[in-house]
Amino acid sequence: MQTDLFDSWGLNKPLFKPARRFPCTRIMEKINVIIEWASDGGVTAMMENDLFAGQGDTVEEAVKDMREGVKFFIATAKEMGFPYKEYLDCDYDVDLQYDIKSILEYVRKFMTDAGLAKLTGINPQQIGRYASGNAAPREIQKRKILEALQKFGSTFSAISL
């Protein structure tokens, strides 16, 4: 009986033993995802503590692209037997984190610095410095900006025509 030369050398066997995974029994992990707007208007979503990122025209598209990258990585890791973080096998919740420079650049598409100053009580020139990255706001200033934008947005969510 003739054997295949590759079989005799062990070359037809997979190089890696697939990793064994058990069904997910953990509570849903919350993952911080940093959102940034690019100068071309696109959006990037990056996991804070892992090397996964996605891009899109909207925040939703960027997060979806990032999640698809994670799924592709898991499939490849399982196929090749590479280890990966257990929480990636489970459902995870995404907590979006916006950097102040990016959010202010985005807001500038719809509102002037003077308009935002009226909402926040922060000097328009100071808002301009935050938006350009020439100054970093203190936590209290970040909170003022966040609360003003949320209050402004909630006004529109209550509208019915």
Side-chain angles (χ1 to χ4, degrees):
M1 178 174 128
Q2 184 179 6
T3 60
D4 186 2
L5 183 60
F6 289 109
D7 281 338
S8 66
W9 291 344
L11 296 177
N12 285 342
K13 297 177 184 171
L15 295 176
F16 302 97
K17 183 179 176 186
R20 184 172 178 212
R21 290 288 178 178
F22 298 95
C24 185
T25 57
R26 301 176 65 187
I27 60 171
M28 186 178 291
E29 188 94 17
K30 184 169 254 187
I31 306 301
N32 289 333
V33 174
I34 299 167
I35 301 296
E36 292 184 354
W37 275 270
S39 59
D40 67 356
V43 179
T44 302
M46 299 169 286
M47 279 190 181
E48 185 177 53
N49 295 323
D50 288 300
L51 298 175
F52 296 104
Q55 296 179 326
D57 292 329
T58 65
V59 171
E60 293 79 16
E61 287 178 14
V63 171
K64 181 181 177 189
D65 186 50
M66 180 198 69
R67 285 182 180 268
E68 288 172 359
V70 170
K71 286 180 187 176
F72 178 74
F73 173 78
I74 290 171
T76 303
K78 284 180 179 180
E79 181 180 312
M80 302 300 284
F82 296 144
Y84 58 92
K85 294 182 179 179
E86 181 183 335
Y87 79 86
L88 294 173
D89 257 341
C90 307
D91 287 333
Y92 53 89
D93 194 21
V94 172
D95 186 26
L96 302 179
Q97 307 283 319
Y98 295 87
D99 69 290
I100 196 71
K101 181 179 182 293
S102 291
I103 196 67
L104 289 175
E105 285 177 3
Y106 182 72
V107 168
R108 280 179 156 179
K109 293 179 181 181
F110 309 102
M111 182 184 303
T112 64
D113 291 350
L116 188 55
K118 287 179 186 175
L119 293 173
T120 62
I122 300 171
N123 182 302
Q125 288 80 17
Q126 189 63 30
I127 289 174
R129 287 190 281 275
Y130 297 155
S132 66
N134 292 331
R138 295 184 317 260
E139 285 304 314
I140 194 163
Q141 301 296 75
K142 287 181 185 179
R143 198 171 322 118
K144 281 183 178 181
I145 293 168
L146 176 64
E147 289 172 359
L149 291 173
Q150 289 174 336
K151 183 177 178 183
F152 184 71
S154 69
T155 303
F156 293 101
S157 67
I159 292 175
S160 62
L161 299 174

